[in-house]
Amino acid sequence: MYRGELVGLRAREPSDGALLAAWFADPETMRWWDRVYPPPPPESFAARIAAAPGPSFDDPSFTVVDLASGAPIGWCGLHAPSPEHRHASLGVLVGDAAYRGRGYGTDATRTLCRFAFTQLNLVRVSLTVFPDNVAARRVYDRLGFVAEGVQRQAFWKRGAWHDLAHLAVFPDTLR
Amino acid sequence: VIAGERVLLRARRESDRPYARRWFADPETTRWLRPPYPRGEDAYEVSAEPVSFASVLLTVDDAATGTPIGTAGLLDASPEHRRARAFVTIGDAAFRGRGYGADTLRTLCRFAFESMNLAKVELAAPADDARAVALSERLGFVREVRRRGALWVDGAWRDEHLMGLLPAELR
């Protein structure tokens, strides 16, 4: 387990499949997610986790747990780490509503970035966020993410085009 | 065949491979291409499937002579978000710096908008690849995102521009 202050990142287990399916089906969670279709059934999450060889450079994907209780509360991962360019994009999801707005997502994001820099030897972690997702942007600002620009008309969701803001954090900017 | 002013864009075929081998053996062609590894002849992807929304991989012919001079295409086309990522490589050195790249990219974008009904074409260009950045801006592409140190090329970190073009912006 890789530890932050409030959360730990551990390998995903097939038994996390049902939780993941529920989180990805939650409209509140998916409101800001750049994803259109309903998630696949829980069995397919479980099967995919069982088939994966566990966290590695090519698939640094984790279940986020509350350090105090050990309860799984979310998911996070780095997408497509590039060994030559030494960067990756990240995704973090606090699926358990009871843990939202209390710093768990911030801690998970910081812990994942620290993992990327100190363990994987990456030098850049990026993400995209809906520009009007004010709460998320405040968190990324605080963590030391730098705004790199806005991708226009990047996404069609709920009957409208949405832009995506691109942010990145570096070993010397992460707080 | 998709006709530009001086190029024709068409489905790739097996007989393009010897040309592709020469293009990708030229360091000037591959300087900015990633990944950086040498490409064999079989790396030129020639599919038995017809060109389709999901896979627009083309060979660029010089319209005047019918000679294959490079490759172009649209990747990751999304039907919901109606955008795709364009790439163009003029591999034959004799056709560089003479407007063939611009004609290819313009023809490709026009095809994306008029035939595929895409609403945006995007491309990624290394900030230090001045020719690619200037060419795409001339056609109307807008610099949207500058990804700091996103590319390692020739022993240095380099920025990458993500550029975007809406239909009304194409010149």
Side-chain angles (χ1 to χ4, degrees):
Chain A
M1 178 138 79
Y2 199 71
R3 302 165 84 89
E5 301 209 338
L6 296 172
V7 304
L9 313 185
R10 66 154 167 78
R12 295 174 301 166
E13 292 161 10
S15 60
D16 298 332
L19 279 172
L20 276 165
W23 294 334
F24 280 101
D26 174 1
E28 185 50 33
T29 303
M30 285 303 110
R31 202 168 140 219
W32 299 113
W33 207 262
D34 52 2
R35 177 186 185 115
V36 174
Y37 299 100
E43 312 83 83
S44 97
F45 276 97
R48 219 172 332 142
I49 294 169
S56 67
F57 186 87
D58 294 320
D59 185 19
S61 198
F62 304 94
T63 292
V64 180
V65 301
D66 171 16
L67 271 184
S69 67
I73 63 168
W75 166 89
C76 73
L78 296 165
H79 179 63
S82 155
E84 295 94 352
H85 305 302
R86 294 169 57 199
H87 61 65
S89 60
L90 74 70
V92 172
L93 167 71
V94 175
D96 187 329
Y99 288 88
R100 291 203 196 118
R102 293 171 53 200
Y104 286 83
T106 305
D107 192 44
T109 306
R110 184 186 290 120
T111 305
L112 183 61
C113 290
R114 210 170 267 163
F115 175 81
F117 297 145
T118 62
Q119 308 296 320
L120 301 187
N121 205 359
L122 301 184
V123 294
R124 173 190 158 89
V125 172
S126 64
L127 59 82
T128 57
V129 58
F130 284 112
D132 40 357
N133 186 352
V134 180
R137 297 205 63 170
R138 211 162 27 227
V139 167
Y140 299 136
D141 273 356
R142 211 161 50 225
L143 287 174
F145 279 80
V146 179
E148 298 196 313
V150 174
Q151 184 185 7
R152 300 174 300 161
Q153 198 179 288
F155 223 81
W156 178 261
K157 189 163 180 167
R158 291 187 300 272
W161 291 114
H162 299 274
D163 295 346
L164 282 177
H166 286 239
L167 312 177
V169 70
F170 306 86
D172 60 343
T173 68
L174 180 65
R175 286 188 289 265
Chain B
V1 170
I2 308 162
E5 296 198 356
R6 54 181 84 179
V7 298
L8 298 175
L9 311 185
R10 55 159 178 83
R12 293 176 177 182
R13 43 188 184 236
E14 291 293 333
S15 59
D16 297 336
R17 286 190 194 281
Y19 292 92
R21 188 181 52 199
R22 284 200 291 276
W23 303 333
F24 293 112
D26 177 358
E28 197 48 36
T29 304
T30 54
R31 169 143 196 239
W32 297 108
L33 291 183
R34 301 293 100 183
Y37 307 104
R39 298 168 191 224
E41 197 165 312
D42 53 355
Y44 196 66
E45 202 179 312
V46 178
S47 173
E49 302 294 313
V51 176
S52 68
F53 187 89
S55 170
V56 181
L57 292 177
L58 306 167
T59 290
V60 182
D61 281 348
D62 168 29
T65 61
T67 311
I69 61 169
T71 170
L74 293 162
L75 303 173
D76 304 330
S78 159
E80 299 93 347
H81 311 304
R82 294 174 55 206
R83 59 183 164 93
R85 197 154 43 84
F87 72 91
V88 170
T89 297
I90 300 299
D92 187 328
F95 291 86
R96 288 199 201 117
R98 293 171 52 199
Y100 285 85
D103 190 37
T104 301
L105 183 56
R106 186 183 293 114
T107 304
L108 190 64
C109 292
R110 205 169 274 160
F111 176 76
F113 297 140
E114 293 176 359
S115 299
M116 295 172 71
N117 204 3
L118 295 183
K120 191 181 182 201
V121 174
E122 298 181 329
L123 59 81
D128 292 340
D129 186 356
R131 203 158 62 181
V133 174
L135 185 153
S136 24
E137 284 190 316
R138 207 160 59 237
L139 293 191
F141 278 84
V142 175
R143 299 182 196 191
E144 295 183 335
V145 178
R146 186 180 180 120
R147 308 181 73 222
R148 170 148 66 98
L151 298 172
W152 176 262
V153 180
D154 284 349
W157 292 110
R158 300 170 197 268
D159 295 357
E160 179 181 52
H161 288 303
L162 300 185
M163 312 192 57
L165 176 81
L166 305 178
E169 295 166 343
L170 179 61
R171 286 193 288 265

